[in-house]
Amino acid sequence: MVYMLFGISTKKDDDWWIGVTALDTPHLSKYESLMFQGNGYLGIRGSLEEHYLNEKRDMFVLGTFDKFENEATELPNLPDIVNIEIQVNGKLLSLNHGETTDYQRGLNLRNGEIIRSFNWQNGKDKLHFEFRRFVSMSNCHLFVSQVKITPLSENVRLQIKSGIDGQQTNSGTQHFVEANKRLFNARFVQMQTQTQNSLVKFALTEYHRLFLNTSELILNPRLQLERRQIFANYSIDVEKNKCLTFVKYADVFASNDKDLQVNVSKDCLKQLEHVGREDYQKLLADSTRVWEDKIWQNSSVEISSHNNKPQIAVNYARYQLFANVPRDYSKNIGAKGMTGEGYKGHAFWDTEIFMMPFFMMNIPSYAHNLLIYRYLNLIGAQKKARQGGYHGAQFPWEAAMPEDAESAPLWGSADIITGEPMKILSGETEIHVTGDVAFGVYQYIKNTGDQEFARRMGYEIILQCAKFWASRVSWNVSIDQFEIIDVIGPDEYKEHASNNAFTNYMVHWCMRKGAEIITQLRRDDLITYDKLDKKMDLSKLFKELILKTSKLYLPEPNNKEIIAQDDNYLSYPRINVDKYRASDNVSEIFRDFDLKQLDKLQVTKQADVLLLLLLFEDDFSKDIIKKNWDYYEPKTIHDSSLSFSTHAILANDIGLYNKAFEYFEKNCQIDLGTNMNSSVKGIHMAGLAGTWKIVIEGFGGIRTGKEGLQIQPHIPSTWNSLKYSIVWQGKRIKVLVTHTSFSVTSDEKFEFSYHDHNYHVEPKEKVLIAI
Ligand code: BGC
């Protein structure tokens, strides 16, 4: 049975399916984003095989950025391989015509297969269609799709056109030069092309097989070449009740692939000649096995609740995170992954602060890759620091290729007062990202115990960041302290903040950690010390860090225990923000105010001070957290998908359990909810990571702060139990939480604390604790 979950339909008895029961053409883009398929290399939006108005076909390969002068660098939208055009007795299959019944389209979250079926009647012809397709998890270059067509009323003549369509653009920008297009061995259509400026070469090859019931038809296609397009055409007579199966095998290679053997064209063809011998089911089974054995086995979360909404939401979140995370270290994960053109494939602080916990506690090797990328990105970050007149490494607010200094665009949407495009200052002043990257590196080292990474790369990243901060802070004579002026904090509605509390605390942490690392290396690891000393003059840096850490201004809680978001925030007028909080539309507030006005109001875009309190919770009492929650939560309009998860976790921590669940549900609905505009340009990767964070760090109570591993769970009243596993210092730990107790077990020995009690757990011992 199908019923509505959030906005999209799901099945009551299936925790792994999201779908729709009607075509819903006005909202195609939302479903294209939601039904994204990917494998961390190749990503394809869930566009339909036949064309519709409003569609936005996108296919990306991670790490293949291209840039035109005066435009931001972006992942180029590759030639489309999803298209299949079908004519029945000369009439084009389009669900805008004729009558469609029993329509169902869904994404199986277990293995990323999209299945669509319906009956279509046009005139006297009635046919049954079933489309299936997947992006392979076992072969990163491969996409396979299959359509079964059964005439139900008459014999029909079917014409099928399928191929590689390079007339795609990134919202109008054509990143590819005209291609070499040709047929190989009478059956394989191939397109070779190249990005206009970054000169990344691509080859895409397609091969088709047709079956009538179970017998294969050996048909050579009629080739059709157009500008940037190559299609294969087939024409077949099919008798009533016989089933024609059309299978499309397609693969994509890029010249910067790490596994390239000869060249893109040859590799692409050779692979398809081999893979094309297998049938759809076998290739799907290979891919499903990787999802099962590598992914689901290593990231389990089971929620028993009054309905399966939370389970579906957390499955969906995990599905998208794993479908988008790069499998090699030269790439990062974009704020929208590869699910759409939003944010152009760029990575933000979203990776370290929101997604890192998910990857490092499930499959740490993926977190490791993301951090090696940042190590490579030191080239760009040092360039950026130098350009601003600073030292060390200043990580870009928006990151693309590792050698790029900054990839944030310069201009945004129109100012409602002046009518001119608003300048985007984030690339210049949203500098907290440099602390966030260092923070992510340290979290990874602490959680995994990966000392090799620390010695080879991690410490260097943190020290380079600390060095940047030491050069970025400025002396304020009147307070006799260092301060940090003119920044954008997490609340991007304050464009010229001074002493943004989040930033200052993060900088303080980073410089202090830098000094600690130098002390530790000098004491325990002279080889690493000497290596880094040659690059950074560590004794000079040490002195500077000690001085600047001790004299950096940190906004303390005031007499009402409120930490000022920045120097001026508390003096600004307040406004009623109910209408903006209630609105489904992000940025609704810009209908009434421009950024200059927002700059001077007590309105917060997203968790800012509250995020500081969550990340550094060991340093603040519950009372301070509660007071600041009461102060900032009502002023926060959650215009970023990064906001709800912080609120949900903090609410759970301070005993506001209903609020915590309310924020959890809001978070789940960012993409899966009824707002049909929210995901048009791609889904929200940090929001999805937030779903997992709320479940594991919030309700599951996992923290890895100063005291090591802590488990202090509290599950929502509508849940019966929560069962999950995490990896902590290389050990997989399993936790089962109910309302009255929780149990913890592992195959290895480990320690954790629950409130003030420490527990030593022996291998396979099950420790049961009453709550
Ligand atoms: C948020 C940023 C975030 C970016 C990408 C913006 O709306 O304010 O904090 O990094 O989106 O997700």
Side-chain angles (χ1 to χ4, degrees):
M1 172 191 167
V2 176
Y3 78 121
M4 295 305 279
L5 167 84
F6 300 108
I8 191 135
S9 54
T10 55
K11 294 178 186 170
K12 208 171 211 155
D13 51 2
D14 189 343
D15 302 337
W16 294 91
W17 190 87
I18 61 154
V20 286
T21 50
L23 181 61
D24 196 5
T25 32
H27 301 121
L28 280 183
S29 282
K30 166 103 182 179
Y31 300 118
E32 287 168 348
S33 299
L34 284 177
M35 295 197 196
F36 167 87
Q37 300 173 303
N39 57 21
Y41 166 84
L42 181 67
I44 306 182
R45 271 163 77 81
S47 325
L48 296 164
E49 285 73 9
E50 68 277 11
H51 291 279
Y52 292 95
L53 209 66
N54 294 333
E55 68 180 16
K56 183 68 196 97
R57 291 170 183 265
D58 275 317
M59 176 165 96
F60 303 110
V61 165
L62 273 188
T64 58
F65 289 95
D66 188 44
K67 179 173 165 33
F68 287 92
E69 186 128 1
N70 298 326
E71 289 194 62
T73 184
E74 64 187 342
L75 282 182
N77 182 10
L78 286 160
D80 174 58
I81 51 176
V82 168
N83 64 81
I84 302 177
E85 206 178 281
I86 300 168
Q87 291 188 34
V88 180
N89 291 334
K91 286 184 211 141
L92 193 65
L93 169 71
S94 163
L95 305 191
N96 289 331
H97 306 293
E99 194 194 342
T100 307
T101 48
D102 295 333
Y103 187 89
Q104 273 230 18
R105 183 170 191 239
L107 169 67
N108 177 354
L109 302 172
R110 248 189 204 291
N111 63 2
E113 186 186 24
I114 293 179
I115 305 172
R116 177 168 65 128
S117 61
F118 55 89
N119 292 326
W120 185 64
Q121 177 144 22
N122 198 3
K124 60 184 177 21
D125 303 319
K126 184 170 181 182
L127 300 97
H128 179 72
F129 289 85
E130 187 204 67
F131 291 85
R132 291 173 172 264
R133 68 193 218 214
F134 65 95
V135 167
S136 174
M137 262 296 167
S138 53
N139 175 344
C140 71
H141 303 280
L142 184 65
F143 167 78
V144 193
S145 137
Q146 170 183 287
V147 48
K148 284 182 183 287
I149 309 169
T150 315
L152 300 176
S153 54
E154 309 272 337
N155 299 345
V156 294
R157 160 149 287 233
L158 293 176
Q159 282 160 284
I160 300 180
K161 173 175 160 187
S162 170
I164 305 166
D165 178 1
Q167 290 188 2
Q168 314 303 319
T169 65
N170 288 59
S171 310
T173 297
Q174 173 55 270
H175 280 281
F176 291 97
V177 298
E178 176 54 299
N180 285 332
K181 299 160 287 195
R182 61 163 288 192
L183 195 64
F184 284 97
N185 306 336
R187 299 284 300 274
F188 293 83
V189 292
Q190 188 176 86
M191 178 181 282
Q192 295 168 39
T193 183
Q194 174 168 312
T195 52
Q196 305 256 15
N197 296 301
S198 58
L199 309 183
V200 182
K201 289 192 174 62
F202 283 91
L204 303 98
T205 310
E206 221 175 274
Y207 170 65
H208 310 120
R209 287 172 72 185
L210 292 94
F211 300 83
L212 202 50
N213 285 349
T214 48
S215 349
E216 181 157 11
L217 308 171
I218 306 297
L219 293 181
N220 287 347
R222 185 174 57 78
L223 197 64
Q224 186 183 341
L225 300 181
E226 310 283 348
R227 287 185 82 176
R228 291 181 172 78
Q229 292 180 322
I230 175 167
F231 294 110
N233 287 281
Y234 304 88
S235 190
I236 316 107
D237 292 318
V238 184
E239 288 168 29
K240 179 178 166 187
N241 291 332
K242 289 217 163 148
C243 175
L244 179 85
T245 304
F246 176 80
V247 191
K248 168 191 323 233
Y249 303 81
D251 66 356
V252 182
F253 279 75
S255 54
N256 59 357
D257 289 346
K258 299 246 175 314
D259 58 351
L260 208 61
Q261 313 260 314
V262 184
N263 61 38
V264 285
S265 166
K266 290 212 163 91
D267 282 31
C268 199
L269 184 64
K270 188 166 161 216
Q271 165 171 296
L272 220 56
E273 283 172 343
H274 177 70
V275 168
R277 293 186 202 124
E278 306 287 358
D279 66 25
Y280 179 93
Q281 283 307 334
K282 153 80 173 59
L283 295 170
L284 177 65
D286 291 347
S287 170
T288 305
R289 209 168 307 116
V290 179
W291 277 104
E292 283 299 334
D293 298 351
K294 166 116 202 201
I295 296 175
W296 304 128
Q297 291 287 325
N298 289 313
S299 67
S300 83
V301 184
E302 289 170 38
I303 300 166
S304 156
S305 162
H306 66 310
N307 65 32
N308 64 353
K309 288 182 186 188
Q311 183 71 60
I312 295 173
V314 82
N315 289 349
Y316 183 71
R318 290 185 293 152
Y319 166 79
Q320 288 293 3
L321 287 156
F322 286 124
N324 279 287
V325 63
R327 302 306 198 263
D328 85 64
Y329 53 76
S330 56
K331 298 151 191 176
N332 207 291
I333 181 167
K336 293 192 180 290
M338 293 180 275
T339 66
E341 289 174 21
Y343 291 127
K344 302 177 184 304
H346 298 173
F348 293 67
W349 69 314
D350 304 31
T351 301
E352 278 75 14
I353 300 298
F354 296 89
M355 297 183 232
M356 186 57 61
F358 173 79
F359 292 118
M360 77 191 177
M361 287 196 219
N362 287 304
I363 305 186
S365 60
Y366 293 161
H368 186 236
N369 281 344
L370 292 169
L371 293 174
I372 298 181
Y373 165 87
R374 291 295 194 184
Y375 181 74
L376 300 176
N377 195 198
L378 279 175
I379 306 177
Q382 282 170 300
K383 208 190 288 173
K384 180 167 166 110
R386 273 198 307 277
Q387 284 167 0
Y390 303 112
H391 305 301
Q394 179 182 8
F395 280 95
W397 173 244
E398 295 190 25
M401 292 304 280
E403 59 276 14
D404 295 344
E406 178 58 65
S407 299
L410 292 178
W411 299 101
S413 50
D415 182 319
I416 52 135
I417 309 280
T418 66
E420 288 172 9
M422 293 187 278
K423 177 137 201 250
I424 301 178
L425 293 176
S426 302
E428 268 169 55
T429 56
E430 200 152 355
I431 57 177
H432 63 82
V433 59
T434 294
D436 308 331
V437 169
F439 190 80
V441 167
Y442 183 68
Q443 294 301 316
Y444 169 83
I445 296 172
K446 195 177 59 175
N447 272 262
T448 58
D450 186 347
Q451 288 308 318
E452 198 198 330
F453 168 76
R455 281 192 302 272
R456 287 184 50 217
M457 301 177 210
Y459 291 149
E460 184 171 344
I461 300 177
I462 297 175
L463 288 170
Q464 291 284 9
C465 292
K467 190 170 173 184
F468 163 71
W469 290 122
S471 69
R472 174 60 173 80
V473 299
S474 52
W475 183 250
N476 181 332
V477 189
S478 57
I479 57 168
D480 202 24
Q481 279 187 304
F482 289 100
E483 62 173 358
I484 307 175
I485 55 169
D486 199 14
V487 302
I488 301 179
D491 171 10
E492 294 178 328
Y493 292 166
K494 301 287 161 291
E495 286 213 303
H496 297 282
S498 285
N499 297 312
N500 166 258
F502 179 91
T503 308
N504 283 30
Y505 275 89
M506 190 54 96
V507 172
H508 187 264
W509 170 86
C510 182
M511 294 198 297
R512 186 167 47 81
K513 189 52 69 192
E516 279 171 25
I517 289 171
I518 296 176
T519 310
Q520 179 201 324
L521 291 177
R522 201 188 284 138
R523 190 186 57 216
D524 304 333
D525 180 1
L526 279 179
I527 298 180
T528 309
Y529 182 91
D530 287 343
K531 183 186 91 181
L532 295 178
D533 191 36
K534 285 199 188 86
K535 295 190 182 178
M536 275 177 273
D537 189 353
L538 291 188
S539 49
K540 181 165 167 244
L541 180 62
F542 181 76
K543 282 194 205 113
E544 212 183 342
L545 292 178
I546 293 291
L547 169 75
K548 293 188 172 167
T549 307
S550 66
K551 296 284 268 172
L552 178 67
Y553 168 65
L554 284 181
E556 297 282 341
N558 64 14
N559 55 3
K560 294 197 176 115
E561 311 231 71
I562 304 304
I563 297 176
Q565 190 180 294
D566 58 52
D567 280 352
N568 299 319
Y569 188 94
L570 299 184
S571 65
Y572 293 146
R574 297 176 189 182
I575 56 163
N576 184 336
V577 292
D578 293 351
K579 138 173 160 198
Y580 311 116
R581 281 165 64 99
S583 167
D584 246 5
N585 297 331
V586 169
S587 305
E588 186 72 10
I589 199 162
F590 285 108
R591 288 172 183 262
D592 299 332
F593 301 96
D594 73 359
L595 264 172
K596 279 207 180 76
Q597 295 167 316
L598 276 182
D599 231 348
K600 299 208 166 2
L601 292 174
Q602 286 201 44
V603 175
T604 295
K605 178 180 179 186
Q606 64 198 86
D608 188 308
V609 170
L610 294 185
L611 179 59
L612 154 71
L613 296 175
L614 181 61
L615 296 185
F616 295 101
E617 64 188 338
D618 289 342
D619 299 333
F620 300 97
S621 68
K622 280 260 153 54
D623 190 45
I624 289 183
I625 298 179
K626 174 85 180 52
K627 293 258 169 46
N628 282 276
W629 166 281
D630 290 342
Y631 192 82
Y632 286 107
E633 190 268 349
K635 301 178 180 65
T636 306
I637 56 177
H638 309 294
D639 265 0
S640 157
S641 60
L642 276 52
S643 197
F644 293 141
S645 61
T646 303
H647 282 80
I649 299 170
L650 273 189
N652 214 54
D653 282 0
I654 54 179
L656 302 175
Y657 300 124
N658 291 339
K659 272 266 165 228
F661 194 65
E662 208 180 282
Y663 272 115
F664 169 67
E665 289 215 303
K666 282 178 196 263
N667 197 76
C668 294
Q669 294 183 19
I670 294 170
D671 292 304
L672 291 175
T674 48
N675 180 348
M676 299 317 275
N677 301 321
S678 68
S679 317
V680 165
K681 291 188 176 166
I683 56 168
H684 303 79
M685 300 309 298
L688 292 167
T691 299
W692 180 88
K693 273 164 70 72
I694 301 168
V695 174
I696 304 302
E697 296 179 1
F699 305 139
I702 289 289
R703 295 302 155 80
T704 56
K706 283 186 190 150
E707 308 301 325
L709 180 65
Q710 295 166 49
I711 311 178
Q712 272 155 222
H714 185 285
I715 58 173
S717 59
T718 48
W719 295 12
N720 305 317
S721 65
L722 164 66
K723 197 170 162 188
Y724 63 87
S725 75
I726 55 152
V727 184
W728 162 250
Q729 300 195 334
K731 298 160 192 175
R732 186 158 287 281
I733 293 165
K734 296 182 183 157
V735 184
L736 171 62
V737 188
T738 67
H739 288 286
T740 51
S741 68
F742 73 100
S743 67
V744 181
T745 179
S746 171
D747 287 346
E748 287 166 85
K749 197 174 169 161
F750 75 102
E751 290 172 15
F752 74 98
S753 65
Y754 171 64
H755 293 294
D756 292 333
H757 301 275
N758 292 328
Y759 293 84
H760 301 262
V761 188
E762 292 299 320
K764 299 208 187 309
E765 182 192 2
K766 189 187 222 169
V767 171
L768 184 70
I769 296 170
I771 297 182

